[in-house]
Each structure stands twice: as structure tokens, then as C-alpha cells.
Amino acid sequence: MRKGISFWKSDWLAGLVIVLGLLIISFSTDVIDNLERYAYDLGVRVSARDPGDRIAVIAIDDQSIANLGRWPWPRTRLADMINALHKGGARAIGLPIILSEPQLDPGLAALRDINVFYNGNLAPLAEGTPAIGELGSKLSQAEASLNTDQHLADALAQAGNVVLPMQFVLGDPQGNPDKPLPDYVLRNQVAAVRDRIGAGEAGYLPPDTVQAIPPIALLGEKAAYIGHIASNPDADGTIRNELLLVHNDKGYYPSLALMLAAKSLNLGVGDISVNLGESLRLGKLTIKTDPYLQMRTFFYASHGGKPAFSEDSFYDVASGKIPLAKYKDKIVIIGPTAYGLGSPQVTPISAGMEPARILAHTVASILNQNFFITPEWGTALRWIAVLLAAAFVVFGLSRLKASPAAAASGIFVLLLVVTHFVLMKSSGIWVELMLPAIIVAAGYVLITTKHYLVTEKAKEKSEVQSAESNRQLGLALQQAGQLDMAFEKFRKCPMDDSMADVLYNLALDYERKRQFNKAVSVYQFIYDYDPKFRDLAVKLQRAQKLEETVILGGGAMSSAAATMMLAPGSDEKPMLGRYQVEKELGKGAMGVVYLGRDPKINRVVAIKTLALGNEFEGDELKEIKERFFREAETAGRLNHPNIVTIYDAGEEHDLAYIAMEFLHGHDLARYVKPDTLLPVSKVVSIVYKSALALDFAHQHNVVHRDIKPANIMFDPDKSAIKITDFGIARITDASKTKTGTVLGTPTYMSPEQVAGKKVDGRSDLYSLGVMFYQMLSGVAPFRGESMATLMYKIANEDHVSVFEAKPELADILPCIAGIIDKALAKDPADRYQTGQEFAAAIKACIDASKKGSGDALPDAE
């Protein structure tokens, strides 16, 4: 009997069970595979090669977006860059930008309609058809200048060395495609494809595709080559391979990287030869691949803080800051890297690498012949290592004492890890050796643990130490504000009165954070131990009541509906940061405004909340939060009698908030209709003060970007005004960009805002001019039946004089029309350059009017 018990407790049997268990895990889950990929990525990072200087990246980065306007740009901008690079002597140009849809400028569509109407045709003029008259010629010229796709096509044709991308959707086709690919795609098909080993029967073929999305014909026909940009990430979502070929219908199509490398070598698709399941050649270059013709890309590490490849801002090149001679005989890749553009992907050396940068690494890997491969003998080496590791765990550890076993296990694992990295770093060879390493490490740990836990005394000692450790760790986590993790640790401790005290304090912390549902869970946990503990019954009932009635902005609710409510008759008021929330004042586009009080100094404040979590997520949410607090800090430095004072900004749960001066009165939005207009003298005074306030903000490098009546508070009793929402407009802009919609109406937007260009303080002065016009006349200077029509008028048409909108103004303030006309100039250079200049013009107008008509108007305050 004792012998049988000894058999089941033997170390060699435990070792055998461990080995078999890990092999089952390896074959049935991705755990070991994920570890192998992690080790592969580390090997890539430590492998150093010289990428050379043949490749340069021109990045459409944040600086370019800030200076040249929002993406997507007119394609003429890309055309100008390609023309410049062609003149500079670039060898090949890669453009990893999807061009599968034509770009139709709103102005182009309008001009085509006008052209059709003017020339009396029912369709646009055919190419080469002369226009009627001088106006017809001008219209045709304007139409041609706005045809951005034609400009880009002309640039592609002139350069002759631009490689465009094409989208393929990977998948198993169920039938034949709806229609054949266009000829300009078919000419990129690889013809020299052979199957010498029966790769088709073995399944060693490039991946199939179910859909092809080529660039538009106008551009595709002018491109030197077209290459696919389909990617095949590993199970963990990381890009490690380059699909050199994909299969569509009856042909094989090369990747963008492969065709860009070919163009740089003056080779073409005819110089690509393929042996299915074996290899791929580009001219005299043999590219080492796996049986599916996937190349394991060599990702080059940066050196001394500098990227592996030369990278310049598109704006710097376009503006002439970077000489074009820099790109002579270079492979130039033009692609987006700005935040929010493109689709950054995980690579072995980066958690978010833009496609343009991945393309640079892939092309360099092809041209430099740098790859990672798994040779035929690699699989055999792996399983030999697995057998040796299993034998060590089953037969070796059972015969060794603790210290020798630790040393031997460490040496074994170290040998495997070192072999892995040496092979990758020196030869670019990847052999999966993490499974045998895990077998040895897990075997040692588990068998050692078995030795430690063989007696009941050891178990009891372990439990006592574990309980104390959990208690101390839980207290530390509670002190750090990580209440959920603290509760998990406390629940693992034996329950007694002292532990109930600890949990009671934890529940109070949850209440202070208004997480009443979690406070209920803690109180219930204590209740199960002792229902009569302290005032537990009262606390539990109160927390359950608040759990049902208190709702925080954000979460599952939309931002427009986000609110914070109190139970009827409750004397408990929620806290937001250090502020006690009294009641809701109103809702905005992204959050709710509350009346609050700072209990320490009894100051009444308005608290504007923004449920950023409803609009953003992940890295984008982190970036927006940083921008939110940066803008709030900037706005908080503005100390002016006509600008609302910012006291504080913070974040709690899913809410970001700004505490600001509580204002009496209401916004000016109610005074812009013909039947609710204020007296002219008050309107002039309001605009005068607003201009001075904006001048103060602009001097401190703060641009509002959203000046309109709704953002200016007016106290009729004191004739006082306050400009609000400095800094909020940029957060709202980010939300608009994310959702692809425009919130509200662009009535008060300047022409440069409508065009997506960079704005400065003169844009605020334009918006103030629109408000001036509307508050005097009761109508906006520009109106349209649709948003597109309105935006077109703002950008292109002159406004009707304010005297035509309200003739009696000419008798009161004859000079006011000129002031408004200058404020509404299309070109910022023609407007008032500062708020002080705007205000001075108003004051001069009032003074002149008083001299001419007595004391009809008061002085500008």
C-alpha cells in the first residue's frame, strides 16, 4: 500500500504529467505560439543591420496637416509633390494611399453644372469641344483647374516611376468574380509561375482573394506599376510577414513593396519568376520565403534616437525647406503618419507603425537581402530540444537536490534562449525553442513547489503568509486608489472583526467616489459575516438606494443624455472632484453643465463636463485627454473682465470637467432674430468689448475657433458680457473628425475654416463680424438651403451689405457697414489684424456718428 502511494507521489511521474500537459497546451491553444512570437519579436529587435540610404520617407505628419489643412487634401497637392520629386531625380516613388474613389471637389461639381447650363448642353462638354465665348472658356479653364484627379494623373504620366497600391480582400472565393480586372491591373500580373513540387496539391500557395479594389482608371492607367497592399497579420495581430504575391481569379499579383523594389532596379513584372512552394526571384535577387511565398521582413532598428530611414515632413519639402536634391536616385515613399490618419499596425519593433514606414522596411529588406527564415532542419532541431527537455524533467530533476536542480534548469533554459537569439542575430534563422524552455522552467517550478507543499505544516504556513500578504497588499492598493484590486485581495483573507473594519473603510471609499454599486457589494460581503456590525444595515440600505438613483455622465448613455441625478428627498449630494454638485443647468453637444459649490471656500461655480469616453477610445482617448487639459490650462491663464474665469479642470471616472465662474444672464443666441434684436447701442458695446477680449486672448496665443452668440454670455442688468468655451472647440473638432460629421451649422465659420486651412486670431474676428451683422440686422450674412450651399457661399460669394438687410442702420451709424465689410473679408490679410484694431474702428465710427448727429449714441465702453 505504501509502495503504491509512493508511486503516485514520485517526481518522475509528476514530471511526465507536466510534460504531457504542456504538449497538450501547445497543440490545443495559442499560449506557446504567442510566447514563440514574443521571443521572435525580441530577436528582431536585437538583430542589427544597416538599412542603407536608398529609401526616404516623406511623411504627411501633424505639422503638414496643421499647415496645409485637414486630410484628405486635394490631389493636386500630391501631384505637385510628384512633379517636384521627378524634377529632383527620384528613382522610384511609392504612394501607399488608397485612390480607389474619384475626388470630386464641391466647386468642380458646381462649375460642371454651370458649364452645362452656359453652353446649352445636356451633358458636360466632350474633351476637345470648344467652349462658347470668353466666359465659356474661363469656365472650362476653371473646371480643368479643379479636376484634381486629372492633375495627379498628369503627374503620374510625366514622372513614369510612381507605384500605386491596390486593395485585395483575402478569403476563399466561392465562385468566379463578377467582372474581370481592368487591363491596367492585368498588366501587373506575374506570368512566370511554375509548380515543380506539386505545391497546389500540398496547399503551398499564396493566399486567395475574394475581392479586388483597384485605383480609379484615370490614375491606374498612368501609374508605372500597381502592387497589392493586402496584409496577413499573425494570430496576435502583429505584422511580421510580407505577402509577396496574392492569387485573384487566375493570376498572381505582386505586392506594392515588391514592385517598388523592382522599379528602383529598372525591372518590371516580367523580371519576377516564381516557383510555387519554393522561392521567388526578382531579377538576380533571390528572396527567401516560407512555402506560401511570405517573406519575414527584417525591421531595422533606429540608431541614436534617429529613425532607420530618412523621414521629412511633407510640408517641409513642399515649402522648399528640404532641397529636392536630397531625393536624387532615392526610393521615395509618400504616406500619412499624422495622428488619426491611416491604420497603424503592430510590428515586432513598434506597437503602432504606419503603413508608409512598414513599406520602407519591407522594400529595404528585399533590396538588402535581409530576411528571417526557418530552414528545413529547424523543425527537427526544435523537437530534438523538446525530447531533451522532457527527459531532463522526467528523469533528471527527480535525481537532483534543490540547488543542483536550480542550476541545471537555469543553464538549460539559458542555453536555449541564447541559441535562439544568436541564430536570429547572426544568421537571420528562427527556430522555435520556447516550448522546450517552458518545459524545463515549468517542470522545475512545479516539482519544487510539490516538494514544498508535501506537509500540512508547510501548507498552513503558506496560507498564513498568503493572508497577511493579501491584507498588506490590499491596504497598499486602497491607499493608491485602486479599490477594485484592493477588494480582490481582501476577499482572500480570513474574515474577522478586524477584517470587517478594513472592508467597512473600503466601502466608504467607494461611496466617496460615488461607486455605490460597488459599495453595496462590500457592505453585503460584511453583512454575510455579521449583519449587526456597526451601522451596517443603515449603510447598506442607503447605498442600495443611491445605486438605483445616481447616474453619472458617460458609460452606456449617450453624451447628450449624460446627467447626474439625486434621489428625491436625499440629503446626499454627489461630488465631482472637490466640488459638490447642486443641480443640472443644461446640456451641450458633448456633456452636461452643473451648478456646483466648492465646500472649502463656499464658492459657487459652473461645472462643464465632457464624456470623452463616449467619443473616443484607446490611444485616441489618451491623446484627447492630454489636449483637453492642455487647452484648459491655456484658457485658465486668460484673466480678463470679458472672458469667463477658469478655476479648475480634472477627471473622474469617464468624465472630464472644467470648473468655471458662474455667470448670471444668458447667451446672446436669443438676440439674433428680427423680433428680438437689442438696441444698436448695446450691440455695438457688446461687439466692442468682445473684440478687446479676443485681442487679449490672441496676445496670449489662444484662438477661440468657435465665436458665436451661444458662446457669449450677457447680463442685461449690468450690460456685462463674458466669452465662454475657450479651448472646448478643439476637442469638439476632434470629435467631428472622428465621426466624419459637422456638428451644428457653419454660419459663423470663416472661409479658411470652411476650407480646412490653418486658422489664427483673424478667424475669430471674422466670426465676430458675422455675429455683429446678425445682431444688427436679424439675418446672417450668408444663408443656404443646405450646409454644402452655405459653406460654398462663405468661401466664394460676397455678402449683402448690412444696410440692404436693414436700411435704417444707415441713418444711425453710416460707417458701420464698412467696419463689417472689412471684418468679413475673404482673405485674412484684408481683415482687421487684431481685436484692438477692430475695437478702434468701432470707437472711431461712434465718435464720428456723434459729431454728425449729436449724442444719439453712447461712447464705446
Side-chain angles (χ1 to χ4, degrees):
M1 182 71 177
R2 188 173 183 83
K3 185 176 180 180
I5 294 175
S6 177
F7 170 81
W8 292 111
K9 289 186 177 181
S10 61
D11 287 345
W12 73 267
L13 181 60
L16 181 61
V17 171
I18 292 169
V19 171
L20 292 176
L22 288 173
L23 289 176
I24 292 172
I25 291 173
S26 175
F27 287 115
S28 61
T29 71
D30 290 331
V31 174
I32 303 299
D33 288 339
N34 287 336
L35 185 61
E36 295 285 3
R37 296 186 191 104
Y38 178 76
Y40 172 87
D41 292 347
L42 290 178
V44 172
R45 292 182 199 132
V46 302
S47 300
R49 298 284 192 280
D50 181 12
D53 61 353
R54 290 189 283 184
I55 299 174
V57 176
I58 295 180
I60 302 172
D61 55 6
D62 291 319
Q63 178 190 356
S64 301
I65 298 298
N67 286 280
L68 300 177
R70 293 182 183 175
W71 185 264
W73 293 333
R75 289 176 181 169
T76 51
R77 208 178 295 283
L78 295 176
D80 293 340
M81 180 61 71
I82 291 171
N83 287 331
L85 292 173
H86 174 59
K87 293 178 181 177
R91 177 172 289 275
I93 301 173
L95 202 65
I97 299 173
I98 302 302
L99 300 170
S100 57
E101 295 288 341
Q103 186 179 73
L104 186 62
D105 187 285
L108 177 60
L111 275 173
R112 284 178 173 171
D113 291 340
I114 295 172
N115 237 336
V116 170
F117 175 81
Y118 178 82
N119 289 281
N121 297 321
L122 296 177
L125 290 175
E127 185 174 349
T129 303
I132 301 173
E134 182 179 352
L135 178 57
S137 176
K138 292 289 185 181
L139 288 172
S140 298
Q141 291 174 13
E143 181 178 333
S145 68
L146 289 176
N147 191 339
T148 59
D149 285 337
Q150 186 62 56
H151 284 292
L152 182 54
D154 293 342
L156 297 178
Q158 183 176 3
N161 63 351
V162 180
V163 184
L164 293 184
M166 175 173 173
Q167 294 176 291
F168 283 93
V169 179
L170 301 182
D172 295 324
Q174 301 300 313
N176 294 323
D178 295 334
K179 58 181 179 181
L181 291 172
D183 290 339
Y184 63 85
V185 174
L186 293 175
R187 71 189 184 205
N188 294 277
Q189 182 177 321
V190 177
V193 179
R194 295 182 295 174
D195 187 354
R196 304 187 304 183
I197 62 171
E201 291 75 16
Y204 291 147
L205 297 173
D208 284 312
T209 60
V210 295
Q211 185 180 7
I213 308 172
I216 61 174
L218 180 62
L219 303 179
E221 290 171 353
K222 303 299 183 182
Y225 301 117
I226 296 175
H228 80 79
I229 54 171
S231 62
N232 187 22
D234 289 334
D236 61 351
T238 302
I239 299 294
R240 299 182 179 90
N241 303 308
E242 169 73 4
L243 297 176
L244 294 176
L245 291 180
V246 295
H247 181 254
N248 180 267
D249 193 16
K250 300 176 182 178
Y252 293 92
Y253 296 88
S255 70
L256 176 64
L258 183 59
M259 294 311 298
L260 189 56
K263 185 59 185 174
S264 72
L265 297 173
N266 296 320
L267 301 175
V269 70
D271 298 297
I272 300 174
S273 59
V274 177
N275 291 321
L276 294 175
E278 295 181 275
S279 63
L280 182 147
R281 289 182 61 86
L282 174 62
K284 296 182 179 180
L285 298 179
T286 299
I287 303 174
K288 299 177 181 179
T289 68
D290 66 8
Y292 306 97
L293 296 182
Q294 296 183 117
M295 178 191 76
R296 287 196 173 274
T297 303
F298 191 104
F299 288 91
Y300 298 87
S302 58
H303 295 282
K306 295 183 178 180
F309 301 97
S310 169
E311 183 172 318
D312 298 314
S313 169
F314 187 104
Y315 174 73
D316 288 343
V317 180
S319 62
K321 184 176 179 181
I322 306 296
L324 294 174
K326 177 179 180 179
Y327 305 104
K328 182 175 178 57
D329 294 327
K330 296 286 181 69
I331 302 170
V332 183
I333 298 171
I334 307 172
T337 64
Y339 178 81
L341 301 186
S343 300
Q345 296 175 306
V346 180
T347 66
I349 65 172
S350 173
M353 182 178 289
E354 291 73 16
R357 291 168 176 157
I358 295 177
L359 179 60
H361 286 273
T362 307
V363 174
S365 188
I366 294 172
L367 296 177
N368 297 334
Q369 295 283 273
N370 294 328
F371 321 99
F372 292 103
I373 63 169
T374 300
E376 295 179 355
W377 50 264
T379 303
L381 176 61
R382 184 197 191 203
W383 288 110
I384 290 172
V386 169
L387 290 175
L388 291 175
F392 175 78
V393 171
V394 175
F395 303 110
L397 288 178
S398 61
R399 291 173 170 78
L400 295 173
K401 293 184 179 180
S403 296
S409 299
I411 292 172
F412 203 128
V413 172
L414 183 62
L415 180 63
L416 291 170
V417 172
V418 169
T419 301
H420 165 84
F421 286 107
V422 167
L423 287 175
M424 288 197 72
K425 184 175 177 61
S426 62
S427 307
I429 293 174
W430 178 41
V431 179
E432 299 180 32
L433 296 177
M434 293 304 105
L435 176 58
I438 289 296
I439 289 174
V440 173
Y444 169 75
V445 171
L446 294 175
I447 290 176
T448 301
T449 302
K450 170 181 173 290
H451 290 164
Y452 183 76
L453 298 177
V454 289
T455 66
E456 195 65 30
K457 183 178 179 181
K459 291 181 181 179
E460 292 176 357
K461 183 178 179 181
S462 176
E463 288 174 359
V464 171
Q465 291 177 343
S466 176
E468 184 60 24
S469 175
N470 283 325
R471 179 189 178 101
Q472 295 300 325
L473 184 55
L475 290 171
L477 291 169
Q478 182 181 358
Q479 185 70 23
Q482 300 181 40
L483 304 186
D484 293 344
M485 296 178 65
F487 189 31
E488 286 300 314
K489 296 299 178 184
F490 290 151
R491 292 176 64 173
K492 297 177 181 179
C493 299
M495 197 64 183
D496 54 24
D497 287 347
S498 66
M499 199 66 230
D501 280 329
V502 172
L503 288 166
Y504 186 91
N505 291 329
L506 177 66
L508 294 179
D509 281 350
Y510 271 129
E511 284 194 358
R512 280 188 281 271
K513 288 182 172 288
R514 305 188 312 284
Q515 298 179 5
F516 296 104
N517 58 328
K518 296 180 180 179
V520 168
S521 298
V522 180
Y523 284 137
Q524 189 64 53
F525 191 86
I526 304 172
Y527 188 88
D528 293 340
Y529 164 70
D530 182 5
K532 297 182 180 180
F533 182 81
R534 293 192 186 182
D535 58 345
L536 182 63
V538 175
K539 289 286 189 183
L540 180 58
Q541 183 180 7
R542 174 179 169 277
Q544 287 173 335
K545 183 178 181 182
L546 290 173
E547 177 190 10
E548 296 172 357
T549 56
V550 175
I551 304 175
L552 291 177
M557 301 177 65
S558 70
S559 61
T563 188
M564 182 185 303
M565 297 179 294
L566 298 176
S570 172
D571 59 350
E572 294 289 334
K573 295 182 179 179
M575 300 292 291
L576 192 56
R578 70 183 188 184
Y579 301 98
Q580 189 178 67
V581 176
E582 302 285 348
K583 65 178 181 179
E584 178 181 316
L585 295 176
K587 294 186 177 73
M590 293 183 67
V592 184
V593 181
Y594 299 101
L595 176 67
R597 184 181 302 276
D598 187 343
K600 292 184 179 181
I601 59 176
N602 201 31
R603 172 191 280 161
V604 176
V605 297
I607 306 173
K608 174 164 288 191
T609 63
L610 290 89
L612 299 178
N614 291 340
E615 297 285 337
F616 312 95
E617 59 186 9
D619 291 339
E620 187 182 18
L621 176 59
K622 180 180 178 182
E623 171 69 20
I624 290 299
K625 283 184 178 179
E626 291 176 356
R627 185 191 295 178
F628 171 82
F629 289 112
R630 189 164 58 245
E631 294 287 340
E633 178 187 359
T634 302
R637 294 200 299 265
L638 298 179
N639 184 13
H640 190 273
N642 297 122
I643 297 177
V644 68
T645 302
I646 304 296
Y647 297 129
D648 191 15
E651 176 189 9
E652 188 162 342
H653 302 304
D654 54 347
L655 290 179
Y657 66 88
I658 296 177
M660 63 185 70
E661 173 186 8
F662 177 73
L663 302 174
H664 296 280
H666 37 255
D667 61 56
L668 292 172
R670 64 178 63 187
Y671 299 121
V672 297
K673 295 182 179 179
D675 56 343
T676 61
L677 297 180
L678 290 170
V680 173
S681 60
K682 284 193 177 295
V683 173
V684 171
S685 177
I686 287 170
V687 175
Y688 177 85
K689 293 174 183 177
S690 300
L692 292 178
L694 288 174
D695 183 76
F696 178 85
H698 297 162
Q699 289 180 29
H700 289 78
N701 299 316
V702 179
V703 181
H704 191 289
R705 295 180 177 84
D706 196 21
I707 290 295
K708 57 186 178 182
N711 282 338
I712 298 180
M713 294 294 293
F714 175 62
D715 185 353
D717 296 332
K718 300 179 181 178
S719 294
I721 66 113
K722 294 272 188 176
I723 301 178
T724 66
D725 278 6
F726 273 92
I728 300 300
R730 296 197 74 169
I731 308 302
T732 307
D733 282 348
S735 176
K736 297 173 191 174
T737 302
K738 174 180 182 292
T739 61
T741 62
V742 176
L743 301 178
T745 162
T747 299
Y748 303 93
M749 290 172 64
S750 64
E752 57 267 33
Q753 279 182 294
V754 168
K757 299 178 180 178
K758 185 178 180 181
V759 301
D760 55 23
R762 294 172 295 181
S763 178
D764 286 348
L765 299 181
Y766 177 96
S767 302
L768 183 62
V770 175
M771 193 184 85
F772 200 4
Y773 185 110
Q774 191 174 19
M775 290 185 69
L776 286 172
S777 64
V779 295
F782 299 101
R783 298 174 296 281
E785 295 180 356
S786 67
M787 186 174 294
T789 302
L790 176 58
M791 294 173 74
Y792 177 83
K793 288 183 176 181
I794 291 172
N796 298 283
E797 294 184 3
D798 292 328
H799 64 278
V800 175
S801 171
V802 71
F803 290 161
E804 291 186 37
K806 192 169 185 180
E808 58 265 39
L809 286 174
D811 299 326
I812 302 172
L813 282 175
C815 50
I816 205 66
I819 294 175
I820 293 176
D821 291 345
K822 185 166 184 177
L824 298 183
K826 302 293 183 189
D827 189 346
D830 296 331
R831 297 180 205 145
Y832 298 107
Q833 300 302 296
T834 66
Q836 179 67 43
E837 186 180 343
F838 196 161
I842 293 174
K843 190 174 189 310
C845 178
I846 292 174
D847 292 341
S849 298
K850 288 174 64 178
K851 291 178 181 179
S853 59
D855 270 344
L857 290 168
D859 292 329
E861 299 177 18

